[in-house]
Amino acid sequence: MGGAGLAALQLCGAQVCVLHRLTGWPCLTCGSSRALVALATGHPWEALSLQPLAVAGFAGAAAGCGAHAFELLLRRRVVALRLERREWRALGVALAVAVALNWCYLVWRGV
């Protein structure tokens, strides 16, 4: 319900990001609400241009949920992600780099 309210405010042109309103700099998730609204209304390229990391995260989560549901419902097994310590570290570094690049994109774009 809160997300729908924020999306409605965004569509009306209100700036709801407090950090952006106070400093002029986008936060790490600036544009996520608008991107998900664009996805829901059938505009994937607009969503990708607004907040690429949120769209990629949503697509990855949807794919993961679909794969997990397939395994659970049709194959009757639970899938668990088991990574070694160095793999978790590499995943963390990759995520940090993706977040940093996404923030640079948002600053460059002037979100």
Side-chain angles (χ1 to χ4, degrees), residues 39-111:
L39 271 179
T41 57
H43 300 96
W45 296 115
E46 179 184 351
L48 201 58
S49 73
L50 287 169
Q51 179 47 281
L53 192 60
V55 173
F58 181 73
C65 286
H68 186 70
F70 172 78
E71 289 291 326
L72 187 62
L73 297 174
L74 298 178
R75 299 182 74 186
R76 305 259 184 228
R77 356 183 260 188
V78 176
V79 178
L81 181 62
R82 292 192 177 111
L83 299 176
E84 294 179 13
R85 186 180 190 110
R86 63 185 165 87
E87 293 169 330
W88 278 112
R89 195 174 309 126
L91 185 61
V93 168
L95 184 60
V97 168
V99 167
L101 288 174
N102 186 68
W103 188 73
C104 289
Y105 170 77
L106 293 176
V107 170
W108 172 74
R109 213 173 148 261
V111 170

Side-chain angles (χ1 to χ4, degrees), residues 22-42:
L22 292 176
T23 66
W25 289 88
C27 69
L28 294 177
T29 61
C30 268
S32 296
S33 299
R34 288 175 284 153
L36 292 179
V37 168
L39 271 179
T41 57

